[in-house]
Amino acid sequence: MRQVLEEIEARGKPVLGATEPVTELKVTDEVDGTGDEVTPGATVTAHYVGVSASTGAQFDASWDRGAPIQFPLDGVIRGWSEGLVGMKVGGRRHLVIPSHMAYGEHPPPGAGIAPGETLVFTVDLVDVTWR
């Protein structure tokens, strides 16, 4: 995992901007990984940046906290739990997530996300584990 993290950090924090809203999940691999593949229900360790599609304003980034984050795919928004399946460790994936697969009309208070907002993420996959 350490070598993969070093390679990802050498790429640097991705820069994201505003984009058109979508009605279906849009998945684009920017870098193909070569490690283990994410399956439904897995736990992933990832670096990511998230922005609002309408403004390009960043609302969250593990990069700014200085470390990747680990989470189970069954504990995140649907756009992540579906959008990361098939991704391989070491890869970088761009997700454009329609509102109904994110927070819909009820984003978390104080998150900096407007109701009905399409979300844009770039995710670097550091590791994947299974229960």
Side-chain angles (χ1 to χ4, degrees):
M1 183 169 94
R2 183 181 181 101
Q3 180 181 351
V4 172
L5 181 58
E6 288 173 358
E7 291 170 5
I8 288 169
E9 289 179 343
R11 281 183 213 147
K13 178 182 174 182
V15 177
L16 305 176
T19 190
E20 294 297 316
V22 296
T23 57
E24 293 183 14
L25 178 64
K26 183 178 175 186
V27 177
T28 307
D29 284 319
E30 296 179 356
V31 176
D32 291 324
T34 58
D36 291 336
E37 186 173 310
V38 176
T39 56
T43 295
V44 300
T45 302
H47 253 317
Y48 67 91
V49 175
V51 303
S52 296
S54 63
T55 64
Q58 179 183 301
F59 57 82
D60 195 12
S62 64
W63 289 90
D64 295 349
R65 292 187 292 279
I69 188 167
Q70 184 179 66
F71 51 87
L73 285 185
D74 58 7
V76 294
I77 60 173
R78 192 170 137 214
W80 274 60
S81 61
E82 293 181 17
L84 295 184
V85 170
M87 185 177 185
K88 292 183 178 181
V89 170
R92 175 174 275 187
R93 183 168 280 186
H94 187 74
L95 303 173
V96 183
I97 304 173
S99 175
H100 71 275
M101 293 181 77
Y103 297 106
E105 296 301 317
H106 305 285
I113 301 170
E117 184 69 61
T118 292
L119 303 182
V120 181
F121 290 93
T122 295
V123 181
D124 289 284
L125 186 60
V126 177
D127 195 24
V128 60
T129 57
W130 302 271
R131 290 177 240 179

